[in-house]
Amino acid sequence: MNPGLRAGGEASNARVEVSAEVTNTGTRAGEETVQLYLRLQGTSVALPVRALTGFQRVRLAAGETKKVTFTLGAEAFAFWNDQNKFAVEPARVTLWVSPDSSSGSGATLQIGK
């Protein structure tokens, strides 16, 4: 693992699991591209408002509901900071699971030191 992704001298094995249920409300089978977006606030450099972090294609029968899960490791929260190091910094994180970049309700968490 990149040394910049270590906390307190030890490799971070922390994981964040993000899940959402997706339902086909139509009368025919279809596919949906479920997208995961991430925003980091309070970091040493400006970052995108919503960055696409992952996606999954899900096939759903009419009326079917499936749970979609994304697992994020420390590298998902790392970026090139103002010291030109690829690292994770303390930040407020907002995550969205949605069909596109402009919809969905966000959930927040805090990355501490």
Side-chain angles (χ1 to χ4, degrees):
M1 182 176 270
N2 184 321
L5 302 180
R6 297 172 189 265
E10 296 184 24
S12 174
N13 292 325
R15 300 268 185 254
V16 174
E17 196 170 271
V18 181
S19 299
E21 288 191 350
V22 180
T23 302
N24 178 352
T25 59
T27 57
R28 293 188 280 182
E31 286 188 358
E32 179 66 66
T33 301
V34 182
Q35 302 171 23
L36 173 65
Y37 291 91
L38 173 110
R39 179 179 189 184
L40 298 171
Q41 292 176 278
T43 56
S44 63
V45 295
L47 296 168
V49 173
R50 286 191 187 194
L52 180 63
T53 305
F55 66 92
Q56 293 182 32
R57 295 217 29 136
V58 179
R59 181 143 183 85
L60 298 163
E64 182 180 16
T65 298
K66 285 187 181 176
K67 184 177 181 179
V68 178
T69 302
F70 297 91
T71 303
L72 303 174
E75 66 281 351
F77 304 97
F79 58 93
W80 291 97
N81 66 18
D82 62 350
Q83 303 295 313
N84 202 29
K85 293 181 181 173
F86 192 68
V88 176
E89 291 184 355
R92 179 175 179 218
V93 180
T94 305
L95 297 159
W96 294 267
V97 176
S98 63
D100 58 59
S101 64
S102 63
S103 61
S105 298
T108 60
L109 59 99
Q110 187 71 33
I111 297 175
K113 289 186 179 186

